[in-house]
Amino acid sequence: MSLDGAGAAGFTLLENASLRDRNTLRVDARAGWLAEVHDANAIPDLLGHPALHGKPLLLLGEGSNVLFTGDYAGAIVTPAMRGVEVLGDDGTSTRIRVAAGEHWDDFVRWTLSHGHAGLENLILIPGSVGAAPMQNIGAYGVEAGEFIESVEAFDMREHRVVHFDNARCEFGYRDSVFKRHPDRWLITAVTFHLPRAWAPRIDYAGVRDELKRVGIERPAPVHIADAVVNLRTRKLPDPKLIGNAGSFFKNPLVPAAQAERLRAQHPQLPCWPAPNDLAKLSAAWLIEASGFKGAREGDAGISSRHALVLVNHGHASGEELWALAQRVREGVHARFGVMLEPEPRIIGAAA
Ligand SMILES: Cc1cc2nc3c(=O)[nH]c(=O)nc-3n(C[C@H](O)[C@H](O)[C@H](O)COP(=O)(O)OP(=O)(O)OC[C@H]3O[C@@H](n4cnc5c(N)ncnc54)[C@H](O)[C@@H]3O)c2cc1C
């Protein structure tokens, strides 16, 4: 059943909804109810709707960082509010408020085409603007949190609008207060401040080499964006062509002494120092060395281009994808004594 309240009520509700086009791993799961919010002011009405009464609620953006291991019996709420608004420019920086339902990559391209620098390293990251603060999305040495002035959200527990300034977002590496309390706050809009003062950030993972390769010596923001697009396109499979959720495993943090022992046995293992006497290991290397790069079980696979990427070659179920991910984790653990953690949110019975 579909209840179309977008015009009058500011939201739409669909019963027994397919999620296949709403997650980039292309898992054919279903939701008991799916609500799309077109107007943030309508959230209290939506939450009071009889269809949602007593149901568990899950917040979902574009589904590029989730794995549904089965159907979701409760109600999924997706922000679909659109709009980009320049709030002001005081000569040193521009403040821009963006609705949660905008596509992140569209917004980055909008900033560049309107002469605002800062977000160029974050081009081509899939997903919605509303999800960007969630794990403080980052790439090529830059994090979204550096440019977020404030976040507007609806508190799903206390049923009221809440404003978070940057400090209250508690941004960390792929982390924020929102990530630590999933489904508590529905992020409805994000305000960015993009400083006029700009310096290229090109010291990370091949950006400088890529610029050199295309003959750019003094890059402008658009040149860096182009270089990042080239690097990302070469490295990561396009979810439009093959289902995936980007990096599926986090680089594991282990005690420094354990990293040293592993490096003594495997000098090629990439390893970076981390605070608190820990060390970060390359999950991609561990997976490849355990023989899983390019592995395939039915339609579930590990990309042959990048060992961190779990792929759906066609019709793999969420359960099958999760089962392969578990085998990879167990295989790496058996060989190296290190347990990998998934980066995407695992949703469903098996989670
Ligand atoms: C090919 C590929 C490459 C990627 N590369 C990167 C990368 O370089 N860097 C990086 O950081 N990430 C990367 N990712 C992961 C992903 O793009 C980001 O995590 C993105 O922010 C997810 O956005 P989404 O709208 O799809 O969120 P979803 O996957 O729908 O949701 C992710 C989490 O955020 C929550 N959420 C979503 N929207 C809201 C909201 N409005 N309010 C509150 N909670 C919400 C959900 O409940 C869930 O817990 C990549 C993914 C893919 C598929």
Side-chain angles (χ1 to χ4, degrees):
M1 180 174 53
S2 168
L3 309 172
D4 190 351
F11 59 84
T12 54
L13 261 175
L14 186 65
E15 191 174 10
N16 187 22
S18 167
L19 298 172
R20 188 171 158 76
D21 294 333
R22 291 179 181 267
N23 69 98
T24 58
L25 269 165
R26 309 272 305 149
V27 168
D28 200 4
R30 301 194 84 81
W33 286 89
L34 178 74
E36 258 192 10
V37 180
H38 298 268
D39 176 356
N41 296 320
I43 298 172
D45 287 349
L46 170 67
L47 298 183
H49 196 284
L52 268 55
H53 185 73
K55 301 231 171 23
L57 298 180
L58 174 87
L59 307 179
L60 186 70
E62 296 180 23
S64 63
N65 210 19
V66 295
L67 167 59
F68 288 100
T69 58
D71 292 340
Y72 185 75
I76 290 184
V77 179
T78 291
M81 301 79 84
R82 307 304 284 258
V84 177
E85 186 190 352
V86 176
L87 298 180
D89 187 335
D90 64 5
T92 60
S93 72
T94 308
R95 299 172 59 236
I96 306 168
R97 180 183 180 276
V98 192
E102 291 288 342
H103 301 295
W104 173 261
D105 183 55
D106 286 354
F107 168 56
V108 172
R109 288 170 198 268
W110 181 95
T111 61
L112 293 170
S113 67
H114 286 74
H116 306 296
L119 301 180
E120 55 280 353
N121 294 46
L122 303 178
I123 197 163
L124 217 60
I125 298 181
S128 57
V129 166
M134 190 69 192
Q135 70 156 1
N136 183 18
I137 54 168
Y140 296 96
V142 174
E143 292 179 345
E146 299 170 44
F147 300 95
I148 291 176
E149 179 183 284
S150 61
V151 169
E152 292 163 46
F154 192 85
D155 188 330
M156 306 293 270
R157 198 162 76 190
E158 295 183 5
H159 286 210
R160 63 189 179 94
V161 173
V162 200
H163 287 255
F164 292 81
D165 62 17
N166 183 288
R168 277 191 71 200
C169 294
E170 297 175 19
F171 290 125
Y173 177 71
R174 297 292 183 279
D175 195 31
S176 72
V177 71
F178 311 108
K179 185 150 182 188
R180 273 171 265 134
H181 302 272
D183 305 323
R184 165 84 194 267
W185 294 289
L186 171 56
I187 295 170
T188 52
V190 183
T191 297
F192 296 84
H193 66 98
L194 300 178
R196 284 269 177 88
W198 178 81
R201 312 259 293 263
I202 55 175
D203 288 330
Y204 193 89
V207 182
R208 192 185 290 279
D209 290 343
E210 179 60 19
L211 287 164
K212 212 181 267 170
R213 193 184 70 81
V214 294
I216 305 283
E217 269 175 29
R218 300 184 58 202
V222 286
H223 297 128
I224 296 175
D226 288 346
V228 170
V229 166
N230 290 346
L231 288 167
R232 293 187 70 102
T233 315
R234 283 207 292 272
K235 212 167 99 184
L236 288 171
D238 180 351
K240 287 195 195 91
L241 305 176
I242 181 162
N244 76 88
S247 298
F248 192 85
F249 298 100
K250 293 184 201 165
N251 286 329
L253 283 169
V254 299
Q258 186 184 358
E260 237 163 71
R261 280 197 303 277
L262 281 168
R263 290 262 294 170
Q265 291 161 8
H266 312 281
Q268 323 84 322
L269 166 60
C271 174
W272 304 273
N276 304 324
D277 215 16
L278 297 172
K280 194 190 268 184
L281 305 177
S282 162
W285 190 93
L286 294 169
I287 294 168
E288 191 169 349
S290 304
F292 288 105
K293 191 174 182 184
R296 183 165 175 170
E297 288 178 8
D299 273 350
I302 299 295
S303 169
S304 52
R305 277 159 76 184
H306 199 314
L308 281 187
V309 182
L310 182 71
V311 292
N312 185 351
H313 288 285
H315 298 282
S317 67
E319 225 176 353
E320 289 164 342
L321 288 162
W322 185 230
L324 177 59
Q326 297 286 48
R327 264 191 285 285
V328 171
R329 295 174 78 200
E330 284 156 16
V332 168
H333 186 255
R335 176 110 208 265
F336 296 105
V338 176
M339 189 52 93
L340 299 180
E341 294 302 326
E343 183 184 306
R345 182 167 173 193
I346 311 298
I347 301 164

